[in-house]
C-alpha cells in the first residue's frame, strides 16, 4: 500500500486544472447501458472508481476503449446482466447499473453494495421505486435479483428522502419504461442534471431538469442513441483546492471550474474572510491573514455539500475561534476527527455536531485515511502541520482524486507518494 509523506509549512502558488466530476461520470457510464451503439465520453477523471465501473461494463460483455480521460463505450454486445460482488464491493456506486440493466434487459442481478466507512448506505428507496414501476425484487445470497419480463412501466415515485443515486437509477430506468414516470423529491445535484441532459439529448422527453420534480417519458425499451458527453468539472475537487489555498493562506487559481456549482463553498470561505476573482471557468482565491471560524450544516444541493464537510473542518481547525459543523446526511462521516486531533486539532463530537476550536499550530504525525473525503481533509491539515506527516491508506484518495499529489506538488506543496515498508 502507498502513503503520502507531506512536509508542512509550504506556501502554495500558481494554477491547478480541475478534472471531470467522478460523481457525474459514474451515472453517465452506467447510462451507456441504455444504448446498443457506441458513445464517447470525454473529460473523464483519471481515478480508480471510473476504471472499476468501466471494468464492470466489460465483464457484462460491453466493449470499452479507455485512455485516461476519454472512453469509447459500446454496450450493443452485453451478454450478462450480473454485476458481481467482486466489483460492487469495491465501489458501491456500481448499484447504478441496476436501473439501466433492468430497463433494457428485463432482468438483472446486482450484488448488494453493503455499507462503507461513512454509513450504512441502504438502497431501499431505489428498490421500492423500481417495484412501483413493475419490477419484482428478491434479495438472496447478497444479491438484488430484479425482474420485469414485460418491461418497466411509468409510475409516480415519491422519495421519502432526497437520494442522488436513487434519483439517477430511476431516471435511467424510466428512460426505457413504457409511459410516463414522475419523481417527486428528486435530487438536483449538477451531476444529476448532466445525467438528465445526456438522456434528454438522446431524444427522451424530460421535464423539470434541475428541479426536485422530474417527469420522464419513456421509450418502451427502444434503446437510446447518445451524443458525445463532456463530463462537467468536479465541484468537490474544486472546493478541496480552494480549501488548500485557504488553509495555507495562499492565493491560487483554479482552471476549468464551474463557479455556479461551488457557490456554497465560496460563500462559506467568504464568511471566513476569503475573497475571490471569479471568471467564466476560472477562480482565484485570496485568503485573509487570519481565518474566521465557520458554522455549517450539510444539506442536499444547493445546500452545503456533505462531500465538502471534512475539508472545511480541516480549514476550521486553523481558524481563530470556535466552529460548529453539523453532518445531516450520513450517520458516520466524522472519521477524520480523531485523525485531525492526532495532529493537534481540538475537535469535540456530540452526535451529528462537531465543535472545532481553532488552534495556532498542528504537528506532523502518522495518520490514517478512512474514506475518500476524510483523506483529502487529512492532506489539507498536513500541508500546514509542522514537520512531516505521513497519510496512510491513501487508496481511499485514489478512488476519487485525479493525481492529487501531482497537482499539489505543482502548486508548491512538499508531498511525495511512498510505498509502505511493512
Ligand atoms: C452520492 O451518494 C455521492 N456518490 C456521494 O459522494 C454523496 O456524498 C451523496 O450522493 C450525497 O450527496 C456518488 O454520486 C457516486 P444518497 P449516494 O443516496 O447516491 C440515504 C463521494 O465522496 N438513503 O443521496 O449513495 C443515505 O443513507 C461520495 O464522492 C437511504 O436511506 O447518496 C444517505 O443518508 C460519498 N435509502 C442519504 O439518503 C436509499 O435507498 C443520501 O444518500 C438511498 C439513500
Amino acid at each position: 500500500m502507498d502513503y503520502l509523506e507531506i512536509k508542512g509549512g509550504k506556501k502554495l502558488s500558481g494554477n491547478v486544472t480541475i478534472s471531470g466530476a467522478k460523481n457525474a461520470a459514474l451515472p453517465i457510464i452506467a447510462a451507456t447501458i441504455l444504448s446498443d451503439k457506441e458513445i464517447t465520453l470525454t473529460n473523464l477523471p483519471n481515478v480508480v472508481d471510473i476504471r472499476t465501473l468501466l471494468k464492470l461494463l466489460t465483464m457484462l460483455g460491453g466493449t470499452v476503449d479507455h485512455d485516461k480521460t476519454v472512453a469509447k463505450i459500446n454496450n450493443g454486445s452485453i451478454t450478462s446482466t450480473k454485476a458481481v460482488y467482486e466489483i460492487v464491493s469495491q465501489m458501491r456506486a456500481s448499484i447504478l447499473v441496476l436501473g439501466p440493466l433492468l430497463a433494457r434487459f428485463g432482468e438483472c442481478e446486482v450484488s448488494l453494495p453493503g455499507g462503507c466507512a461513512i454509513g450504512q448506505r441502504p438502497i431501499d428507496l431505489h428498490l421500492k421505486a423500481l417495484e412501483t414501476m413493475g419490477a419484482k425484487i428478491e434479495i438472496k445470497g447478497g444479491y438484488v435479483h430484479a425482474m420485469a419480463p414485460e418491461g418497466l412501466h411509468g409510475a409516480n415515485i415519491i422519495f421519502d428522502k432526497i437520494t442522488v443515486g436513487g434519483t439517477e437509477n430511476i431516471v435511467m430506468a424510466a428512460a426505457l419504461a413504457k409511459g410516463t414516470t414522475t419523481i417527486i423529491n428528486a435530487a438536483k445535484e449538477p451531476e444529476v442534471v448532466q445525467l438528465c441532459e445526456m438522456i434528454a439529448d438522446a431524444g427522451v422527453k424530460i421535464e423539470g431538469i434541475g428541479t426536485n420534480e422530474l417527469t420522464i417519458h419513456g421509450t418502451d425499451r427502444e434503446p437510446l442513441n447518445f451524443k458525445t458527453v463532456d463530463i462537467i468539472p468536479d465541484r468537490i475537487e474544486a472546493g478541496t483546492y480552494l480549501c488548500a489555498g485557504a488553509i495555507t493562506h495562499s492565493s491560487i487559481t483554479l482552471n476549468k471550474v464551474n463557479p455556479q456549482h461551488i457557490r456554497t463553498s465560496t460563500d462559506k470561505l467568504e464568511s471566513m474572510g476569503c475573497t475571490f476573482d471569479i471568471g467564466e471557468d476560472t477562480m482565484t482565491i485570496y485568503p485573509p491573514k487570519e481565518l474566521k471560524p465557520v458554522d455549517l450544516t450539510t444539506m442536499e444541493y444547493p445546500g452545503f455539500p456533505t462531500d465538502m464537510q471534512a475539508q472545511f473542518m480541516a480549514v476550521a481547525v486553523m481558524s481563530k475561534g470556535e466552529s460548529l459543523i453539523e453532518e445531516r446526511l450520513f450517520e458516520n462521516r466524522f472519521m477524520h476527527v480523531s485523525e485531525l486531533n492526532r495532529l493537534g486539532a481540538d475537535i469535540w463530537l456530540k452526535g451529528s455536531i462537531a465543535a472545532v476550536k481553532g488552534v495556532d499550530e498542528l504537528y506532523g504525525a502518522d495518520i490514517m485515511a478512512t474514506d475518500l473525503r476524510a483523506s483529502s481533509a487529512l492532506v489539507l491539515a498536513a500541508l500546514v502541520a509542522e514537520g512531516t506527516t505521513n497519510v496512510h491508506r491513501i487508496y481511499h484518495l485514489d478512488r476519487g482524486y485525479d493525481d492529487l499529489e501531482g497537482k499539489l506538488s505543482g502548486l508548491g506543496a512538499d508531498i511525495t507518494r511512498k510505498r509502505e515498508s511493512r
Side-chain angles (χ1 to χ4, degrees):
M1 280 201 278
D2 295 349
Y3 67 96
L4 287 176
E5 181 188 80
I6 300 167
K7 293 190 170 70
K10 301 284 180 301
K11 277 275 188 215
L12 306 182
S13 63
N15 292 270
V16 61
T17 298
I18 301 304
S19 300
K22 163 180 84 81
N23 291 351
L26 292 172
I28 284 171
I29 290 169
T32 61
I33 292 169
L34 297 170
S35 173
D36 56 3
K37 296 179 187 61
E38 181 172 278
I39 170 173
T40 301
L41 306 179
T42 59
N43 198 36
L44 288 168
N46 187 17
V47 298
V48 170
D49 275 8
I50 297 302
R51 293 192 287 274
T52 303
L53 193 55
L54 290 174
K55 183 178 164 201
L56 175 55
L57 291 189
T58 56
M59 289 170 77
L60 297 175
T63 56
V64 173
D65 174 8
H66 178 219
D67 176 19
K68 287 210 171 68
T69 61
V70 177
K72 288 187 187 320
I73 300 167
N74 189 325
N75 288 315
S77 52
I78 280 187
T79 50
S80 157
T81 59
K82 181 168 186 176
V84 291
Y85 175 75
E86 174 212 341
I87 288 279
V88 179
S89 58
Q90 289 172 44
M91 203 241 334
R92 59 180 318 286
S94 315
I95 195 65
L96 291 171
V97 304
L98 174 62
L101 282 175
L102 181 59
R104 177 154 164 229
F105 298 102
E107 178 175 8
C108 65
E109 275 187 279
V110 179
S111 167
L112 276 168
C116 72
I118 64 177
Q120 192 213 344
R121 312 290 294 273
I123 57 167
D124 56 310
L125 301 178
H126 301 231
L127 302 182
K128 210 168 99 198
L130 288 171
E131 285 177 324
T132 311
M133 296 174 74
K136 191 166 164 305
I137 304 272
E138 278 169 24
I139 308 273
K140 56 178 188 268
Y143 278 78
V144 175
H145 194 163
M147 288 151 281
E150 309 305 315
L152 295 169
H153 57 71
N156 290 321
I157 310 285
I158 301 181
F159 277 129
D160 298 346
K161 272 185 183 177
I162 292 179
T163 160
V164 170
T167 302
E168 290 166 343
N169 244 331
I170 299 310
V171 165
M172 293 187 280
L176 260 56
K178 182 181 171 74
T180 299
T181 299
T182 57
I183 305 174
I184 312 283
N185 212 19
K188 55 183 180 182
E189 274 67 3
E191 298 77 25
V192 177
V193 169
Q194 185 169 35
L195 173 69
C196 292
E197 287 169 346
M198 167 198 183
I199 293 172
D201 286 350
V204 175
K205 199 159 169 296
I206 303 182
E207 287 126 29
I209 295 178
T211 76
N212 289 122
E213 186 163 339
L214 292 169
T215 301
I216 303 109
H217 303 267
T219 66
D220 192 8
R221 289 204 277 188
E222 181 58 40
L224 305 184
N225 194 356
F226 290 119
K227 298 192 181 86
T228 295
V229 180
D230 189 52
I231 303 296
I232 58 173
D234 192 318
R235 61 192 169 101
I236 306 301
E237 184 194 21
T240 303
Y241 284 103
L242 291 179
C243 287
I247 200 170
T248 58
H249 301 286
S250 311
S251 175
I252 60 173
T253 296
L254 277 54
N255 299 323
K256 280 188 82 175
V257 292
N258 180 324
Q260 285 309 310
H261 291 167
I262 51 176
R263 273 177 309 184
T264 44
S265 290
T266 42
D267 175 57
K268 285 298 174 187
L269 286 168
E270 275 171 354
S271 75
M272 299 179 86
C274 300
T275 57
F276 297 89
D277 277 347
I278 297 180
E280 201 183 307
D281 66 349
T282 61
M283 183 178 276
T284 302
I285 182 171
Y286 301 98
K289 276 213 174 12
E290 278 194 356
L291 289 161
K292 296 186 200 117
V294 66
D295 291 340
L296 56 92
T297 300
T298 62
M299 315 261 281
E300 295 82 3
Y301 193 87
F304 186 88
T306 174
D307 291 350
M308 284 301 306
Q309 179 258 105
Q311 299 91 310
F312 266 80
M313 188 178 290
V315 181
V317 163
M318 302 310 291
S319 69
K320 299 290 173 215
E322 178 155 323
S323 301
L324 284 180
I325 294 177
E326 184 182 6
E327 172 54 61
R328 282 185 54 252
L329 269 79
F330 290 108
E331 63 270 29
N332 190 33
R333 202 167 196 176
F334 284 141
M335 307 276 278
H336 40 287
V337 167
S338 48
E339 298 305 298
L340 290 171
N341 284 342
R342 283 175 53 73
L343 297 177
D346 183 0
I347 307 168
W348 295 83
L349 293 180
K350 194 147 178 59
S352 63
I353 294 181
V356 183
K357 274 205 191 77
V359 295
D360 295 329
E361 195 75 68
L362 291 177
Y363 302 93
D366 280 276
I367 49 180
M368 194 168 69
T370 50
D371 57 273
L372 172 57
R373 306 304 171 181
S375 1
S376 65
L378 300 184
V379 171
L380 293 176
L383 292 177
V384 294
E386 199 183 291
T388 300
T389 299
N390 296 318
V391 183
H392 299 277
R393 300 194 181 180
I394 53 163
Y395 55 86
H396 293 290
L397 265 179
D398 296 338
R399 294 190 45 188
Y401 282 96
D402 185 347
D403 190 19
L404 183 88
E405 72 266 22
K407 292 185 180 183
L408 282 174
S409 301
L411 289 169
D414 184 341
I415 177 170
T416 317
R417 180 180 287 255
K418 296 207 163 179
R419 183 62 42 117
E420 301 283 5
S421 49
R422 57 191 183 291

